[in-house]
Amino acid sequence: MTTVQEPSHQNDPPSENPINWEFLHQLSDGDTEFQMELLDVFVTDTQSNLDLIKTAIAAQDCRGVEQSAHRIKGASGSLGITAMQSVAATLEDQARDQQLTDAIELLSRLEWLLQTVEAAGSLAS
């Protein structure tokens, strides 16, 4: 079994479970099967956006980073995954300002959060 290591972040409190289950429960009207479907789609879509961000960072494509971070921000906010929403918003803002100096660290944080969402979702099912 692989242990997921959280990247070091000075200002972020540790987040053991980034999913706001109460919010997700209300969103799905208590349908746990629907909650798992939402999380599965979220994980798949977010992984695709993270891959796009990696490619955009390598190409110094600020607009590409901004667009993918924006999609992650919206999707995570819609599901109540606020820690991920916050990191994606920071990455989006920095990319909009043509500033990618923290992009690798923010990407790493998003990847770690996605792994914790995926793990929490699989434990809940």
Side-chain angles (χ1 to χ4, degrees):
M1 184 163 138
T2 305
T3 304
V4 177
Q5 294 285 326
E6 178 180 8
S8 63
H9 300 278
Q10 297 169 342
N11 298 326
D12 294 341
S15 176
E16 299 221 357
N17 186 355
I19 301 170
N20 179 338
W21 287 104
E22 184 177 322
F23 180 86
L24 194 56
H25 184 75
Q26 290 175 354
L27 179 68
S28 68
D29 201 25
D31 185 339
T32 55
E33 186 176 325
F34 183 54
Q35 290 172 22
M36 294 303 106
E37 287 177 31
L38 288 172
L39 288 174
D40 284 345
V41 169
F42 173 79
V43 167
T44 300
D45 289 351
T46 300
Q47 186 58 61
S48 294
N49 280 302
L50 291 175
D51 292 343
L52 291 171
I53 289 172
K54 285 179 199 172
T55 301
I57 290 171
Q60 293 294 299
D61 174 10
C62 292
R63 183 73 177 137
V65 172
E66 179 186 354
Q67 290 173 337
S68 293
H70 179 78
R71 286 190 291 269
I72 293 171
K73 179 183 78 172
S76 56
S78 295
L79 295 181
I81 306 171
T82 56
M84 190 168 232
Q85 180 184 25
S86 175
V87 175
T90 300
L91 182 56
E92 178 188 17
D93 290 344
Q94 288 183 5
R96 183 180 305 112
D97 293 340
Q98 305 290 307
Q99 186 61 257
L100 296 180
T101 54
D102 295 334
I104 297 293
E105 182 180 350
L106 293 168
L107 174 63
S108 176
R109 175 76 171 155
L110 288 170
E111 289 173 328
W112 179 82
L113 286 165
L114 183 61
Q115 289 176 352
T116 61
V117 167
E118 192 170 16
S122 65
L123 289 175
S125 57

